[in-house]
Amino acid sequence: MKQRQSVTHRRRDIQALRALAVSAVFANHLADRPAGGFLGVDVFFVVSGFLITGLLLREHRTTGRIALVAFAIRRIVRLAPAAFLVLLATVALSVFVFSPSRLATISVDAVWAALAAANWRFSTDGTDYFAAAWSISPLQHYWSLAVEEQFYLVWPLLLVLLLFAGRRVGDWGRGAILVVGIAAVTLGSFVVALDLTADHPSEAYFSTFARVWELGAGALLAVVAPCLARIPDLVRFPLRVAGLAGILASFLLIPASFRVPGPWSLAPVAATIVVIAAGTRRDSAPPRPIPLRIDRGVVALGDMSYSLYLWHFPVIVLLESLMGRSVWIILPATALTFALSLATYRLVERPLISSPIGSVGRGIKSTWRDWRRSVRATYRRGLPVVVAGVTIVATAAGLFIAHPPQPPTLPEQTASDAAIAQREPERAVLRDRIIASLRESTWPDVKPSMETILANSYATDLINGSPEGKYYRCSTKTSGSEVSPDCLFGPRNAPRLAFVLGDSMAAFEFPGLGQFAEASGSKWKIQNASKVSCPIGDNTDTSEECLKHRAAVEKAIRAKHPDVVFISNIYGDSNDPEKERASHRAIAGAVSRIARYTDKIVLLAPPPSQNNIRNCFTRFSTPSSCLSRVTDGWKARARFKSALARSLRGVWIDSRPLYCAYDLCPAIIGTTPVRYDFNHLTPEAAHLTSPALIETLNDAGVLD
């Protein structure tokens, strides 16, 4: 009987790498710590390239050939059942949790994931792995599985060709051909990664062509494994420690703002190679990955790392949608992920790995009989536990749904509030609407509808297919850097001129100012010179297109010397104090230059944002589920901008009274959705708040 070769031992050091990688990814997705935890995927790629290439080369040494069909069957049996189980469970739960438009998107994601092409789906769809603006697919993590599956499809064929080319040159010659061929592919992919990451970082992140070099690095290690066996035992432990330290340093020190997969992925890739190389020996019992008694637990975690990776992201996304993103979901998300992963590993992965699928020859019937007997025993012990777990989770979910978040308790209006209302009538009316919305316990009928603003095509349709698009098209042009006269709003002969600068915050706030300029009898014309993803002065975007736009804007301001320049950029939360200080210096320098050529500089704060309506709006949510609080990061950036405006004898405009009360910001005001994603205003919200904004500007002496 010919059966699949049994594995006589496991590389405990590799299982430890898997445990470390999946833990980092899980922690990063759950709690945004460590900052570089997403690089755990890079560790997985190196490990996969090493193991798969080593497996295929050992098969060739033993049998003289690589059985491509048998390899494909083994990969399908190993990967597909658990992956499809999670896909089906995620889509089924999404039916009950998410809105129809988001469910439709997730269903399409599932089809692409099932076809091992999820990475191309998210790449072509414009997904930004690190962005908070759009709704996050609970299946987004399948992109890395797709990269590996595409690698498994092509890599054996490449090895067959290289081995065929070296069939007459002996072991050393064949090895040299393998090294040269794999090195060429790896180097080519790394060049692609560098080029693509520089110009199109989101596309590069998901691209198979920009990721193959990481798998190729592991493959090269497998080819030279016989040489690694000669590493003296005396230096193996220091090498392992150095490699593990390098991986941990990558997770802790490389944030999302650093460009990957090129060049910063080199750090975890190189460190992983060192760890694997240090553990590669001729004997069948590599040393323990860590000199501690927790070795057994680390290896067990590595064993179930595949199931953990599959389950962790749907669990996090679904719980965040129901409970909001906070520390309160850490414990239930961790417990649920580990429970589901353990059940999947014990009841799906292990039984199929040990099954005789793909085996042929005499005695196969008895082998299948023995396997069924062992599986029945496993299921008899495991299924009652699964049923009990499902019952507990369903009960907890029912209790949570039956007790949704309630409106916050707000202070009663005082006499001083009434006095302020007489001086600030527009802001008083708006404040009353905001407070009434904070007290809503159910979603009102809104216009536009939730289904409209939650559609993935909303922004595109708004810009290209609606009357409001005139306000946005100038800010979304992908070519040209000149300040266009077509983007001037208001009477051409108006005596006073204002410029609006900034990133998408300015772009989506602009309809309120544009409405003011177009009003009958307006004395103002306002030039929209904002550009999406191009904040004024901030050094986070150094693309050539953005730099050209900034230069053109400054040139136009010097030439026209406008009466007022409005600047509005996103107030991001930064966990890097040095980066924040550098950003402050760059912003202060740019704003100071612009201030020389205008009578008044106005720094307009963007709307505070915390919750993304695309994630928090579900079939069970209430308006309080999508309530945002003014974050400490927003307040810190506001203090800096306020001080900067004062130093330039300008004005800082606090946007909180336009969208919040008591530092609580509802997702709707009256029947108007405020944002269509994490932080971008709907045009209806911009128009709704425009009278109060103009009143604020008048009180500050901006429009005198």
Side-chain angles (χ1 to χ4, degrees):
M1 180 180 68
K2 182 181 178 182
Q3 287 183 285
R4 292 176 295 163
Q5 186 179 8
S6 63
V7 179
T8 58
H9 73 275
R10 288 174 299 170
R11 286 276 301 263
R12 290 192 297 269
D13 55 340
I14 288 181
Q15 294 306 93
L17 284 174
R18 285 173 163 161
L20 180 61
V22 77
S23 299
V25 171
F26 186 19
N28 177 264
H29 288 159
L30 181 60
D32 297 324
R33 297 289 188 281
F38 59 91
L39 294 169
V41 171
D42 302 71
V43 175
F44 276 126
F45 284 154
V46 177
V47 168
S48 295
F50 175 78
L51 292 178
I52 292 302
T53 304
L55 176 71
L56 294 170
L57 292 180
R58 284 194 297 275
E59 180 182 356
H60 185 268
R61 282 197 300 270
T62 304
T63 66
R65 60 192 291 268
I66 293 177
L68 297 176
V69 174
F71 172 79
I73 291 174
R74 289 196 300 270
R75 290 294 88 199
I76 291 171
V77 171
R78 174 68 184 90
L79 300 175
F84 275 90
L85 171 66
V86 176
L87 282 178
L88 292 172
T90 301
V91 173
L93 288 170
S94 297
V95 170
F96 296 100
V97 173
F98 295 123
S99 63
S101 60
R102 192 171 180 192
L103 172 61
T105 301
I106 292 170
S107 300
V108 174
D109 295 341
V111 172
W112 282 83
L115 296 174
N119 62 319
W120 299 117
R121 155 72 170 171
F122 296 122
S123 176
T124 57
D125 198 40
T127 300
D128 184 345
Y129 179 86
F130 303 105
W134 295 97
S135 57
I136 302 172
S137 171
L139 302 175
Q140 183 172 297
H141 65 312
Y142 271 73
W143 75 267
S144 63
L145 304 181
V147 169
E148 288 200 16
E149 287 154 2
Q150 292 158 29
F151 173 80
Y152 299 151
L153 183 65
V154 175
W155 200 249
L157 298 175
L158 175 64
L159 292 183
V160 167
L161 290 175
L162 293 174
L163 290 167
F164 180 78
R167 68 191 184 283
R168 300 184 187 278
V169 294
D171 290 344
W172 281 101
R174 190 160 48 247
I177 289 174
L178 284 169
V179 168
V180 171
I182 294 173
V185 172
T186 302
L187 181 60
S189 171
F190 185 64
V191 171
V192 170
L194 290 175
D195 181 64
L196 201 58
T197 303
D199 295 329
H200 305 284
S202 296
E203 182 181 342
Y205 193 90
F206 296 111
S207 172
T208 303
F209 302 115
R211 289 288 186 174
V212 163
W213 73 271
E214 298 175 285
L215 292 139
L220 275 174
L221 197 63
V223 174
V224 301
C227 301
L228 300 175
R230 301 173 185 172
I231 296 175
D233 288 345
L234 188 64
V235 300
R236 289 184 183 276
F237 179 73
L239 279 177
R240 283 199 306 277
V241 172
L244 287 171
I247 294 173
L248 290 172
S250 300
F251 292 164
L252 294 171
L253 301 177
I254 299 179
S257 58
F258 284 36
R259 295 180 179 243
V260 294
W264 288 100
S265 287
L266 268 174
V269 167
T272 304
I273 287 173
V274 171
V275 174
I276 297 175
T280 301
R281 301 158 58 100
R282 290 188 184 278
D283 59 70
S284 62
R288 295 183 180 223
I290 44 180
L292 300 171
R293 298 305 300 171
I294 60 172
D295 179 31
R296 182 178 299 178
V298 171
V299 171
L301 186 62
D303 289 344
M304 57 187 286
S305 59
Y306 180 56
S307 288
L308 277 168
Y309 186 79
L310 287 174
W311 279 113
H312 86 281
F313 206 61
V315 168
I316 291 172
V317 172
L318 286 163
L319 283 181
E320 283 186 353
S321 295
L322 292 171
M323 300 174 63
R325 186 170 181 83
S326 70
V327 296
W328 297 107
I329 74 161
I330 291 178
L331 182 59
T334 302
L336 188 56
T337 297
F338 272 84
L340 290 169
S341 302
L342 182 60
T344 303
Y345 175 65
R346 295 279 187 177
L347 301 179
V348 179
E349 279 196 76
R350 280 215 319 196
L352 286 170
I353 290 172
S354 64
S355 75
I357 295 175
S359 301
V360 295
R362 297 176 59 185
I364 188 64
K365 289 185 178 180
S366 63
T367 303
W368 273 107
R369 188 165 51 251
D370 293 341
W371 177 79
R372 285 194 294 269
R373 189 181 299 116
S374 67
V375 168
R376 278 197 296 269
T378 299
Y379 283 175
R380 275 198 301 270
R381 293 190 299 268
L383 284 179
V385 177
V386 171
V387 171
V390 170
T391 302
I392 292 171
V393 172
T395 302
L399 291 173
F400 177 81
I401 292 169
H403 298 85
Q406 296 301 306
T409 301
L410 303 176
E412 293 297 326
Q413 189 175 25
T414 65
S416 61
D417 293 329
I420 292 173
Q422 292 182 348
R423 298 195 307 269
E424 306 170 355
E426 296 292 351
R427 279 169 284 181
V429 170
L430 181 60
R431 179 181 172 84
D432 288 344
R433 290 181 179 177
I434 292 171
I435 291 174
S437 296
L438 288 172
R439 290 180 170 138
E440 290 277 9
S441 58
T442 59
W443 291 102
D445 291 331
V446 297
K447 186 177 181 180
S449 69
M450 284 295 187
E451 283 303 300
T452 298
I453 68 169
L454 295 179
N456 275 354
S457 62
Y458 173 76
T460 302
D461 295 342
L462 178 66
I463 294 167
N464 298 324
S466 76
E468 302 287 346
K470 65 181 181 179
Y471 295 121
Y472 305 117
R473 279 189 281 273
C474 297
S475 306
T476 56
K477 290 191 301 183
T478 57
S479 62
S481 58
E482 296 301 318
V483 176
S484 172
D486 295 334
C487 302
L488 185 66
F489 293 82
R492 291 299 190 268
N493 60 351
R496 310 194 71 183
L497 172 65
F499 269 58
V500 174
L501 317 181
D503 56 16
S504 58
M505 295 298 96
F508 283 86
E509 289 167 335
F510 186 80
L513 292 170
Q515 171 185 328
F516 162 72
E518 293 174 325
S520 176
S522 174
K523 298 178 181 179
W524 286 87
K525 50 181 179 282
I526 302 180
Q527 177 75 49
N528 184 0
S530 63
K531 187 173 182 63
V532 170
S533 299
C534 188
I536 290 296
D538 201 325
N539 55 7
T540 57
D541 190 328
T542 55
S543 66
E544 183 178 355
E545 183 181 339
C546 183
L547 293 175
K548 287 182 178 178
H549 175 75
R550 291 173 182 169
V553 166
E554 291 193 27
K555 179 181 177 181
I557 290 174
R558 286 195 301 270
K560 296 183 180 293
H561 201 106
D563 299 279
V564 176
V565 171
F566 296 96
I567 299 178
S568 183
N569 290 341
I570 189 171
Y571 282 11
D573 288 347
S574 175
N575 299 316
D576 185 342
E578 181 55 38
K579 180 183 174 184
E580 187 72 0
R581 285 191 290 269
S583 175
H584 286 183
R585 289 192 296 269
I587 292 171
V591 174
S592 297
R593 289 194 305 272
I594 292 170
R596 297 172 193 160
Y597 302 101
T598 180
D599 296 339
K600 185 161 290 185
I601 200 87
V602 178
L603 303 184
L604 177 59
S609 58
Q610 183 188 41
N611 270 326
N612 188 343
I613 187 78
R614 293 176 172 272
N615 292 330
C616 63
F617 181 80
T618 69
R619 295 180 185 273
F620 307 112
S621 66
T622 67
S624 296
S625 305
C626 294
L627 194 66
S628 289
R629 288 169 172 79
V630 183
T631 66
D632 291 339
W634 191 98
K635 292 176 182 178
R637 185 61 71 98
R639 288 192 295 270
F640 159 68
K641 291 291 185 73
S642 177
L644 176 60
R646 287 195 304 272
S647 71
L648 299 172
R649 297 185 179 180
V651 176
W652 175 74
I653 298 297
D654 188 351
S655 63
R656 283 174 290 187
L658 303 178
Y659 309 102
C660 315
Y662 310 109
D663 273 359
L664 300 174
C665 314
I668 54 169
I669 299 176
T671 59
T672 301
V674 177
R675 292 178 292 272
Y676 70 86
D677 58 7
F678 178 69
N679 50 15
H680 294 108
L681 291 177
T682 64
E684 290 78 11
H687 291 308
L688 174 68
T689 58
S690 179
L693 172 61
I694 300 306
E695 184 179 78
T696 302
L697 293 174
N698 277 321
D699 285 353
V702 173
L703 302 178
D704 291 345

